[in-house]
Amino acid sequence: MTSPFTHQLLGWKKADKTGRVVPNFADSDNEQSIALAGAMLDHLGFNRALTEGLPPKPGTVLEHRVRDDLSSSLQNLAPSRAWRLDRKAIVTSFAQYSHLRRVDDLVKQSQELRVAIGRDYLIRPDVTVGLELPAARMHAPFLHAAVSCKWTIRSDRVQNIRHEFIQMIRHRRGAPAASCGSHRRADAQSHRRYRPGHRGGRRGLPHSI
């Protein structure tokens, strides 16, 4: 199913290097990428002409649209739950990762720990879905899902997504079943990628969001 905000983000733009009108998520140096992205826009009903009003930084706008769309959808699906949707929220603001604050305090104080451990555990997912669970007596929201939003994808970006979520799996601490009740199954590893364009190295392979 096409995302409701697709037409606010996709379209045809003028390439900076050549001045040629190309899809705004294609690799403008790759004919196959342009052809595939153009076919996708044809399928979505876009005219093959310069699209007015395209955001100059669609990746940032994508994050905002995904957050807003999820917020609206979750409220409709489960209005009784206290959903909390954020963008670029640090994982230590959620119950399963709050213990990392103390770890970070220790790392800041020790040069040896900074070298040995680093600080790549302080992850800020593009979009987070939190749940306020007053009955569970949690001091912070429960992280229900983390969403990675990539306007285009290259191999290095894919590796970064993988690395971040491996870190999240490694450092997560679950609350006791008696505390979380029926919400215990909500998991921080719930991970969806919104990606209107895909790039493998220099070759763009567009995908519908």
Side-chain angles (χ1 to χ4, degrees):
M1 178 179 178
T2 302
S3 299
F5 47 83
T6 296
H7 282 71
Q8 301 171 23
L9 299 176
L10 300 179
W12 295 84
K13 70 170 187 177
K14 187 176 291 186
D16 295 332
K17 292 181 180 179
T18 63
R20 178 184 178 186
V21 177
V22 298
N24 68 332
F25 54 91
D27 182 348
S28 59
D29 294 325
N30 186 287
E31 290 298 325
Q32 184 182 19
S33 174
I34 293 171
L36 290 170
M40 173 181 165
L41 291 179
D42 291 342
H43 180 73
L44 293 172
F46 284 84
N47 294 323
R48 284 188 172 249
L50 197 63
T51 306
E52 299 294 335
L54 288 177
K57 294 182 178 181
T60 300
V61 180
L62 175 65
E63 293 172 9
H64 284 280
R65 295 291 182 269
V66 168
R67 180 199 60 190
D68 296 344
D69 183 54
L70 284 175
S71 179
S72 176
S73 298
L74 289 171
Q75 289 296 336
N76 291 331
L77 288 170
S80 62
R81 289 190 173 189
W83 298 106
R84 174 174 164 177
L85 276 291
D86 292 296
R87 176 178 168 267
K88 301 297 187 185
I90 193 166
V91 293
T92 53
S93 62
F94 297 96
Q96 302 100 304
Y97 302 95
S98 58
H99 62 283
L100 292 178
R101 297 175 191 169
R102 177 58 179 156
V103 173
D104 195 48
D105 288 341
L106 294 173
V107 169
K108 287 178 181 177
Q109 298 169 20
S110 170
Q111 176 67 27
E112 292 182 1
L113 287 178
R114 285 198 296 273
V115 173
I117 299 177
R119 299 183 72 196
D120 58 356
Y121 51 85
L122 296 178
I123 297 166
R124 294 179 180 271
D126 296 329
V127 176
T128 53
V129 181
L131 268 175
E132 300 283 355
L133 302 174
R137 299 179 183 177
M138 289 184 175
H139 57 279
F142 188 91
L143 183 60
H144 179 74
V147 185
S148 178
C149 304
K150 296 292 177 278
W151 182 247
T152 57
I153 289 183
R154 295 192 303 261
S155 57
D156 57 334
R157 293 177 185 170
V158 172
Q159 289 301 317
N160 184 60
I161 294 170
R162 180 176 179 272
H163 172 73
E164 286 188 353
F165 282 89
I166 286 176
Q167 291 297 318
M168 291 179 68
I169 293 170
R170 177 179 299 164
H171 295 296
R172 185 172 78 94
R173 297 291 181 269
S179 299
C180 288
S182 62
H183 296 292
R184 188 169 183 265
R185 287 176 294 178
D187 202 301
Q189 281 75 259
S190 298
H191 175 213
R192 298 169 61 193
R193 289 182 302 186
Y194 283 73
R195 48 173 185 166
H198 171 99
R199 291 189 180 184
R202 293 293 296 168
R203 177 164 299 187
L205 298 174
H207 286 256
S208 172
I209 49 180

